[in-house]
């Protein structure tokens, strides 16, 4: 029998708010890159974000060894999960009765991690019905569907009640939306005293304008990378006061340098490596209090 929790969300997909959002929904509905699926298969946590931390060369062993590629995939995945743990380190004290929101939740890997860590409810929104179905199927397989739920929904217009959410985040998903609209919505559903965290790639105002590498990343993902200045200004305008700003650029470079040597390369590795090296692009975590 089909129940409410097992029915695919595709049965009730809202129309995209704009033609652009329709493009992004299609993009993620059709995405099936091995660099994401093979990494997720390592332990069933499927991410669409990048990694941070030092590469464990001892664990990788000899590149000539027949098991090397498998170990490399496991290592890239370990670094991506480490990134999500660092984001969660900044969410503050979360109890099992709390609700968290993952804005732009992808296939839901971070939501599962947050539930395992805090025992709380996690609500995810994505434009992609394929991703929401994938995340809900994984939650059912893990028997956590009463706590972890994805829906097809525009993160700028969510059904969450005003002041009902203890903490929320965007993990590499804020480059698809206007930041003033985004932070107005987080600010609306967060409790006063709640916490907002983003990990994002942003262009560096000190460079002047987006570099050719940043433009290449935008074209590759059909996104619009904002500047660091824009993040801080849009937060300030929406009652989100930064508590920590961490430049993760040096921590993400080893991930990219390792990924560039793998068989799973997608062609975007050079743009990330060169823009991080020339200072035009930064990988940043911002944690802010809703005041
Ligand atoms: C790069 S993926 C990041 C996924 C996830 N945060 C993770 O870390 O694995 C970007 C996500 O943003 C979502 N997204 C983009 N624009 C959105 C919008 N307006 N509303 C909801 N989700 C959106 C996409 O559907 C996709 O799931
Ligand atoms: C930091 C920036 C600018 C990110 C842009 C958003 C994005 C597409 C993130 C990774 O998704 P993915 O895991 O699906 O990408 P890939 O296939 O390259 O691993
Ligand atoms: Mg990826």
């Amino acid at each position: 029998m089909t129940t409410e929790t097992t029915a695919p969300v595709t049965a009730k997909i809202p129309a995209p708010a704009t033609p652009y959002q329709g493009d992004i929904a299609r993009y993620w509905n059709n995405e099936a890159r091995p660099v994401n699926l093979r990494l997720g298969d390592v332990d069933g946590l499927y991410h669409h974000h990048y990694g941070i931390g030092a590469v464990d060369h001892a664990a990788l062993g000899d590149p000539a060894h027949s098991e090397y590629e498998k170990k490399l995939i496991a290592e890239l995945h370990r670094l991506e999960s480490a990134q999500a743990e660092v984001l969660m380190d900044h969410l503050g004290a979360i109890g099992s009765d709390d609700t968290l929101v993952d804005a732009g939740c992808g296939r839901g890997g971070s939501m599962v991690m947050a539930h395992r860590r805090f025992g709380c409810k996690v609500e995810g929104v994505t434009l992609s019905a394929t991703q929401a179905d994938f995340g809900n199927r994984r939650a059912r397989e893990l028997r956590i569907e009463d706590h972890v739920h994805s829906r097809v929904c525009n993160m700028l217009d969510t059904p969450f009640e005003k002041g009902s959410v203890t903490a929320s985040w965007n993990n590499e998903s804020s480059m698809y939306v206007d930041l003033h609209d985004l932070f107005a919505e987080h600010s609306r559903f967060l409790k006063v005293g709640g916490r907002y965290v983003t990990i994002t790639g942003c262009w560096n105002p000190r460079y002047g304008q987006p570099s050719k590498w940043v433009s290449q990343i935008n074209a590759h993902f059909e996104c619009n990378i904002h500047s660091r200045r824009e993040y801080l200004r849009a937060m300030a305008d929406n009652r989100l006061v930064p508590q920590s700003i961490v430049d993760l650029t040096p921590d993400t470079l080893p991930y990219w340098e390792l990924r560039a040597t793998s068989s799973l390369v997608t062609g975007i590795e050079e743009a990330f490596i060169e823009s991080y090296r020339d200072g035009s692009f930064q990988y940043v975590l911002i944690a802010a209090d809703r005041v």
Side-chain angles (χ1 to χ4, degrees):
M1 196 181 82
T2 305
T3 67
E4 176 62 23
T5 50
T6 55
V9 293
T10 36
K12 45 191 174 189
I13 314 170
T18 58
Y20 173 75
Q21 287 196 5
D23 291 345
I24 300 308
R26 260 189 302 281
Y27 177 96
W28 290 107
N29 283 338
N30 293 325
E31 189 281 335
R33 289 184 284 276
V35 75
N36 298 313
L37 297 178
R38 296 223 9 228
L39 268 63
D41 289 343
V42 169
D43 63 1
L45 294 170
Y46 292 84
H47 300 309
H48 287 281
H49 59 249
Y50 301 122
I52 55 173
V55 171
D56 184 346
H57 289 284
L60 281 173
D62 181 358
H65 195 277
S66 60
E67 293 282 287
Y68 181 79
E69 187 66 15
K70 197 173 154 203
K71 289 181 184 169
L72 193 157
I73 286 169
E75 182 63 3
L76 290 172
H77 183 64
R78 185 184 70 79
L79 298 175
E80 291 187 1
S81 288
Q83 187 263 30
E85 291 290 0
V86 167
L87 187 154
M88 284 166 212
D89 289 345
H90 288 81
L91 290 177
I94 307 294
S96 56
D97 291 336
D98 289 328
T99 297
L100 309 182
V101 168
D102 183 346
C105 61
R107 286 189 156 90
S110 303
M111 300 169 72
V112 173
M113 289 175 67
H115 169 68
R116 284 179 176 164
R117 182 162 167 169
F118 303 115
C120 61
K121 268 189 118 167
V122 192
E123 297 279 356
V125 298
T126 169
L127 291 177
S128 158
T130 307
Q131 288 189 330
D133 284 343
F134 189 100
N136 287 332
R137 189 168 59 247
R138 274 304 291 142
R140 284 196 301 277
E141 285 164 2
L142 296 167
R143 299 178 191 272
I144 56 172
E145 72 271 26
D146 50 342
H147 282 85
V148 170
H149 178 251
S150 301
R151 74 184 79 207
V152 179
C153 173
N154 176 8
M155 63 171 107
L156 306 179
D157 182 16
T158 69
F160 310 122
E161 299 263 312
K162 181 174 185 291
S164 63
V165 171
T166 306
S168 60
W169 70 84
N170 283 95
N171 197 351
E172 299 189 17
S173 54
S174 51
M175 57 288 293
Y176 294 96
V177 290
D178 176 276
L179 292 182
H180 277 84
D181 295 346
L182 177 67
F183 296 145
E185 182 61 359
H186 281 278
S187 196
R188 185 190 65 74
F189 62 61
L190 277 171
K191 292 178 180 161
V192 172
R195 179 52 70 84
Y196 170 77
V197 181
T198 184
I199 295 184
T200 190
C202 54
W203 63 266
N204 187 351
R206 289 184 63 179
Y207 193 84
Q209 285 288 321
S211 65
K212 66 178 177 185
W213 302 117
V214 170
S215 301
Q216 201 172 309
I217 296 167
N218 277 335
H220 185 85
F221 291 115
E222 302 178 36
C223 66
N224 289 291
I225 291 164
H226 306 285
S227 69
R228 193 172 78 240
R229 181 173 172 221
E230 234 179 303
Y231 276 92
L232 298 178
R233 179 179 288 168
M235 283 185 183
D237 287 347
N238 286 285
R239 307 196 67 86
L240 293 171
V241 176
Q243 288 296 312
S244 17
I245 304 176
V246 186
D247 182 358
L248 295 172
T249 310
D251 301 302
T252 194
L253 256 168
Y255 164 90
W256 283 103
E257 287 160 351
L258 182 65
R259 174 167 152 157
T261 68
S262 92
S263 65
L264 303 180
V265 288
T266 62
I268 201 59
E269 289 75 16
E270 183 189 22
F272 276 90
I273 292 169
E274 293 304 324
S275 60
Y276 286 145
R277 284 188 184 152
D278 73 14
S280 63
F281 188 48
Q282 293 177 302
Y283 198 51
V284 169
L285 177 149
I286 308 173
D289 282 339
R290 164 68 166 94
V291 297

